[in-house]
Amino acid sequence: GGRAGGAANGVGSVDMEAEALRFQAKAVTEEYDETVLPRLAAWKESARAIGDLEPLEAAVDQAFAAQRKMLTTSSKFSRPQNPDALQRLFQETQGCLEKLVEMEDDLGPLQSHHKLVSNGLGALSWVSVEFPVTFISETLGSINVFGTKVAKQGEAHEAFVTSLKLLLRALLEYVKKYHSEGLRFNPAGKPLP
């Protein structure tokens, strides 16, 4: 009798450990939703207040959705041994960032807004660098040139700049908390397909 109970306890503790890891994995995505996505919504609102930025707004939305998808995937799977698998995981976000750069010529008088956002969203490349917190911080600092130029165009434009900085600071805080040493994977997860 004692032996069967011991085996059951062993299984139960393994299940509890697995559940704890699932909870943590879930927290990684929930924190992104609670920290970053509200700032994204505020930025989108500031873009709408300026008008004529719908394509830019859609591209930014897609980039953050791709990043969320990548974070959800990394929280469920173990770290891939093959660097190509990691690159494939980041590929959708990278494609969104490339699309932002390609859009530059299509925005006419709002080109400074585009350059500001395009440079700022380079922060989403944090997964491909050795020191993600430093990278995001430096990216945030580098947008001031375009930020100043955009903010001078009026109150709505100043709000646009401020909301972008707040969005990037939220991303920075999130990465600091969960991915300070690089994109974190679930050690109990299955191998990335």
Side-chain angles (χ1 to χ4, degrees):
R3 201 162 224 211
N9 287 342
V11 169
S13 63
V14 169
D15 287 346
M16 287 169 61
E17 286 173 20
E19 185 59 36
L21 283 169
R22 271 196 291 275
F23 176 77
Q24 187 176 15
K26 186 178 177 186
V28 169
T29 306
E30 285 177 353
E31 182 83 18
Y32 182 82
D33 291 349
E34 293 168 7
T35 304
V36 177
L37 295 185
R39 291 296 183 186
L40 175 60
W43 176 82
K44 287 168 31 179
E45 214 168 284
S46 73
R48 285 185 210 118
I50 293 171
D52 297 327
L53 289 171
E54 291 83 7
L56 181 62
E57 183 185 335
V60 169
D61 212 23
Q62 288 173 344
F64 276 92
Q67 181 109 134
R68 186 187 187 286
K69 182 177 170 186
M70 177 196 66
L71 294 167
T72 301
T73 301
S74 72
S75 73
K76 292 179 181 176
F77 294 96
S78 61
R79 177 174 291 283
Q81 298 305 310
N82 180 346
D84 291 341
L86 190 58
Q87 184 58 37
R88 281 193 309 275
L89 186 60
F90 182 61
Q91 194 169 9
E92 189 177 346
T93 302
Q94 187 64 39
C96 292
L97 296 176
E98 289 168 5
K99 182 179 174 184
L100 273 169
V101 172
E102 291 168 8
M103 290 173 56
E104 191 171 312
D105 297 332
D106 299 336
L107 291 172
L110 296 174
Q111 197 164 22
S112 294
H113 294 68
H114 173 271
K115 286 184 181 206
L116 169 69
V117 171
S118 184
N119 286 332
L121 259 59
L124 293 178
S125 297
W126 65 266
V127 297
S128 63
V129 299
E130 190 175 356
F131 301 106
V133 173
T134 303
F135 179 76
I136 296 171
S137 296
E138 289 173 356
T139 302
L140 188 55
S142 75
I143 65 171
N144 286 331
V145 173
F146 291 111
T148 302
K149 189 174 183 178
V150 169
K152 287 180 181 178
Q153 296 179 34
E155 199 173 302
H157 302 269
E158 189 175 336
F160 179 84
V161 173
T162 300
S163 64
L164 179 64
K165 287 180 179 180
L166 290 172
L167 171 59
L168 295 177
R169 282 190 190 116
L171 178 67
L172 175 63
E173 291 308 311
Y174 169 78
V175 170
K176 237 186 236 185
K177 184 171 182 179
Y178 288 100
H179 306 281
S180 62
E181 296 177 10
L183 182 61
R184 212 161 111 201
F185 287 82
N186 187 336
K190 296 177 185 170
L192 188 66

